[in-house]
């Protein structure tokens, strides 16, 4: 049996905290897509830690963590992160497994990412510049090197061949960067990786499922950043939706049971691209400040706005979401009024669906207003204790989305979560 936790917006919904919270119910926690563009924040013993490559179940001693085939792996980031979690007493050598089919991010992938963004000028994606797009390009272009290739004698030769191809591409961008320091780190990290538990991920996980173990698949990014269904081209390069679990771990669709969709009580986006409910005013500024809305990977300020139910409904549809987890509800505690976008006015016509290319049309969000709850909810533990205004807000979401909000996160702490 497999459950999934994934983001319903443009990432940073609080997936890391939620995976850490739920991990005790599972035997295996597995990442199925994305790479170190992800930044998943957890609080362990009151201390903050941000995970980029390692699944967020790593702080649970008896749980197995798997980096699946759908992930693109930066060995340098992984090595650094292993040192970080080891400082918390985590025995990653025992609990962390890596699929041999996961593709490697090479130093030149990072350089190509940079060159590509520079060449786009004002139309840049706002990539995290971690080499994600170029690494997935090499996967679909059938050029990439995989974790399993590390064990081949010809690994360095294959690496040099690919680097030469990349150099031609970099030359075509007229881009120059000295990557020798990155390469040195890369080969050190590759040696470190050779000592890992590199497994055939699909047999590994299906055997566990057959033995009756419970698997939690951890999404990175968010549904609106999905390469097919997001706000293309301002997206990431993987399938972030629940279907990605099948291709990113080798799990059959009928094995998937619960799909937990995580959404903030408002909305944020980092990087470029359309964001209909964005607030370029003092309310947006207040949410950014109160919510500490700065990227966990790049430190960039996140764009903030009201919750967008048109986009959320779309995300629930493409993911088959069965339960919603609403995070950062406490950030709205001091607002007099809250707004919810329940339709788009597209070129003057009211629509209830996400258009083909959001930035080719003029979208005016239509809002419904709600009274703020003006109560500090961060210490509450019981749904019944929640202010009536908040229950009204949640009730509206439930009815609109036809998927229930089952959990409300009311602070970054490990146990700050209320069951509805
Ligand atoms: P992820 O990428 O989806 O894991 O989310 P990030 O870690 O990038 O960003 C979420 C941020 O919000 C982190 O700093 C979390 O510690 C914090 N956070 C998560 N849930 C809550 C919550 O319910 N309330 C508050 N105040 N902060 C939260
Ligand atoms: P988590 O898992 C928020 C955004 C980038 C950029 C676009 C493409 O922490 O939610 P990429 O580096 O993939 O080429 O960037 O996607 N992006 C994220 N935004 N959270 C993330 O991950 C993100 N990963 C990528 O800002 O707009
Ligand atoms: Mg994040």
């Amino acid at each position: 049996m497999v459950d999934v936790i994934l983001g319903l917006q443009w990432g940073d919904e609080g997936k890391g905290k939620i995976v850490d919270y739920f991990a005790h119910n599972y035997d295996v926690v597995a990442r199925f897509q994305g790479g170190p563009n992800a930044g998943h924040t957890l609080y362990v013993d009151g201390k903050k830690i941000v995970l980029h490559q390692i699944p967020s179940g790593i702080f649970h001693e008896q749980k197995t963590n798997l980096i699946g085939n759908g992930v693109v792996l930066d060995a340098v980031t992984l090595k650094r992160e292993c040192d970080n979690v080891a400082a918390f007493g985590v025995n990653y050598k025992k609990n962390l497994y890596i699929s041999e089919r996961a593709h490697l991010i090479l130093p030149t992938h990072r350089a190509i990412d940079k060159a590509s963004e520079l060449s786009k000028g004002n139309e840049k994606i706002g990539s995290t510049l971690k080499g994600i797009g170029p690494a997935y390009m090499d996967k679909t272009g059938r050029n990439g090197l995989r974790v399993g290739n590390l064990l081949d004698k010809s690994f360095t030769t294959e690496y040099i061949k690919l680097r030469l191809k990349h150099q031609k591409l970099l030359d075509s961008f007229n881009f120059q960067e000295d990557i020798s320091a990155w390469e040195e780190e890369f080969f050190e990290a590759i040696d470190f990786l050779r000592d890992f538990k590199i497994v055939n991920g699909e047999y590994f996980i299906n055997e566990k499922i057959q033995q009756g173990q419970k698997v939690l698949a951890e999404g990175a990014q968010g549904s609106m950043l999905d390469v097919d269904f997001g706000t293309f081209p301002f997206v990431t390069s993987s399938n972030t939706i629940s279907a990605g679990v099948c291709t990113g771990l080798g799990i059959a669709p009928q094995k998937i049971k619960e799909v937990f969709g995580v959404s903030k009580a408002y909305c944020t986006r980092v990087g470029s691209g359309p964001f209909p409910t964005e607030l370029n005013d003092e309310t947006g500024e207040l949410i950014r400040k109160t919510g500490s809305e700065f990227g966990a990977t790049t430190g960039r300020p996140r764009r903030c706005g009201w919750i967008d139910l048109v986009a959320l409904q779309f995300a629930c549809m493409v993911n088959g979401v069965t339960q919603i987890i609403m995070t950062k509800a406490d950030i709205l505690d001091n607002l007099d009024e809250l707004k919810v976008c329940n339709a788009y006015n597209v070129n003057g016509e009211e629509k209830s669906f996400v258009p083909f290319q959001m930035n080719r049309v003029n979208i005016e969000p239509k809002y419904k207003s709600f009274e703020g709850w003006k109560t500090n909810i961060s210490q509450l533990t019981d749904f019944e204790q929640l202010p009536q205004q908040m229950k009204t807000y949640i009730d509206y979401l439930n009815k609109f989305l036809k998927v229930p909000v089952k959990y409300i996160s009311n602070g970054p702490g490990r146990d700050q979560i209320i069951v509805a």
Side-chain angles (χ1 to χ4, degrees):
M1 199 218 57
V2 182
D3 293 342
V4 188
I5 290 181
L6 46 73
L8 297 180
Q9 298 171 312
W10 280 279
D12 302 328
E13 298 88 351
K15 300 172 292 292
K17 173 201 152 148
I18 300 299
V19 171
D20 176 50
Y21 172 80
F22 278 103
H24 66 271
N25 293 332
Y26 296 87
D27 303 292
V28 183
V29 179
R31 279 271 310 263
F32 59 92
Q33 46 72 231
N37 48 349
H40 296 178
T41 313
L42 278 65
Y43 278 83
V44 181
D45 304 330
K47 281 195 224 118
K48 177 173 160 173
I49 181 152
V50 181
L51 297 174
H52 302 286
Q53 289 274 194
I54 301 180
S56 300
I58 198 70
F59 293 100
H60 296 255
E61 226 181 291
Q62 301 304 329
K63 311 295 176 185
T64 300
N65 287 265
L66 173 69
I67 297 178
N69 59 278
V71 170
V72 284
L73 185 71
D74 183 326
V76 177
T77 306
L78 181 75
K79 182 170 180 279
R80 204 175 299 139
E81 217 162 275
C82 284
D83 290 341
N84 286 346
V85 300
F88 281 80
V90 169
N91 184 357
Y92 61 82
K93 289 212 164 141
K94 176 169 155 256
N95 293 345
L96 184 58
Y97 295 76
I98 305 176
S99 163
E100 59 194 356
R101 293 186 194 266
H103 277 249
L104 290 168
I105 300 178
L106 309 186
T108 36
H109 284 140
R110 276 159 66 189
I112 295 166
D113 217 354
K114 223 164 150 185
S116 163
E117 282 284 75
L118 269 174
S119 75
K120 287 189 164 140
N122 286 339
E123 270 139 44
K124 70 172 187 195
I125 311 294
S127 164
T128 60
L129 304 178
K130 302 291 178 191
I132 307 295
Y136 278 115
M137 272 164 66
D138 270 343
K139 175 177 177 172
T140 50
R142 297 162 294 181
N143 290 312
L145 293 174
R146 299 187 286 176
V147 170
N149 295 123
L150 290 177
L151 309 169
D152 301 340
K153 281 209 181 72
S154 59
F155 179 75
T156 310
T157 321
E158 294 304 321
Y159 170 86
I160 292 167
K161 269 204 245 163
L162 189 51
R163 191 186 61 181
L164 273 173
K165 273 193 194 171
H166 289 164
Q167 194 52 54
K168 286 192 188 133
L169 190 56
L170 287 166
D171 290 345
S172 77
F173 279 116
N174 234 334
F175 184 83
Q176 282 177 356
E177 172 120 37
D178 181 7
I179 60 157
S180 50
W182 291 356
E183 270 193 327
E184 200 174 308
E185 276 185 325
F186 174 77
F187 278 103
E188 268 174 37
I190 289 295
D191 281 340
F192 170 79
L193 254 190
R194 288 199 177 97
D195 280 344
F196 255 88
K197 292 186 179 159
I198 297 171
V199 293
N200 177 310
E202 54 281 18
Y203 279 114
F204 181 80
I205 209 153
N206 281 291
E207 273 162 22
K208 303 243 177 240
I209 295 170
Q210 252 169 11
Q211 290 160 7
Q213 295 200 16
K214 289 164 85 182
V215 175
L216 181 61
E218 172 181 5
Q221 291 80 55
S223 305
M224 299 307 285
L225 287 171
D226 181 277
V227 66
D228 282 276
F229 300 107
T231 45
F232 190 88
F234 302 98
V235 293
T236 190
S237 301
S238 64
N239 281 116
T240 60
I241 62 164
S242 54
V245 174
C246 299
T247 54
L249 291 173
I251 284 173
Q254 65 270 32
K255 299 263 162 58
I256 296 174
K257 201 171 157 229
E258 296 296 327
V259 180
F260 297 99
V262 188
S263 164
K264 281 177 183 162
Y266 48 98
C267 192
T268 64
R269 168 163 208 171
V270 59
S272 341
F275 180 6
T277 60
E278 181 170 13
L279 290 167
N280 289 307
D281 59 9
E282 65 269 28
T283 310
E285 196 54 54
L286 183 70
I287 294 176
R288 183 175 311 116
K289 216 168 134 225
T290 319
S292 309
E293 294 295 357
F294 295 89
T297 298
T298 57
R300 291 176 292 176
R302 293 177 183 145
R303 299 153 67 192
C304 298
W306 298 121
I307 198 164
D308 180 344
L309 296 189
V310 178
L312 265 185
Q313 194 171 48
F314 174 78
C316 287
M317 173 181 80
V318 295
N319 284 299
V321 174
T322 58
Q323 306 184 32
I324 292 173
I325 299 168
M326 190 169 95
T327 55
K328 303 197 88 163
D330 54 303
I331 301 307
L332 305 181
D333 278 356
N334 294 322
L335 298 186
D336 294 320
E337 183 197 21
L338 314 177
K339 289 186 185 174
V340 161
C341 164
N342 58 10
Y344 293 159
N345 232 313
V346 181
N347 297 339
E349 258 183 83
E350 191 171 308
K351 303 274 184 201
S352 56
F353 57 82
V354 173
F356 161 63
Q357 199 162 341
M358 275 193 180
N359 59 346
R360 285 213 312 212
V361 289
N362 178 30
I363 300 179
E364 280 284 330
K366 187 176 157 265
Y367 288 114
K368 179 172 168 60
S369 281
F370 288 84
E371 198 188 322
W373 44 86
K374 307 281 280 179
T375 310
N376 179 347
I377 62 157
S378 64
Q379 302 308 320
L380 305 183
T381 52
D382 199 71
F383 187 77
E384 287 318 311
Q385 299 168 326
L386 291 180
Q388 188 50 50
Q389 293 93 327
M390 191 174 180
K391 288 184 181 160
T392 307
Y393 186 76
I394 293 171
D395 196 46
Y396 184 77
L397 264 56
N398 287 340
K399 293 207 169 100
F400 191 99
L401 298 169
K402 300 190 181 73
V403 184
V405 173
K406 282 278 181 76
Y407 297 87
I408 298 135
S409 171
N410 58 337
R414 242 180 166 174
D415 300 317
Q416 282 176 295
I417 196 156
I418 297 169
V419 183

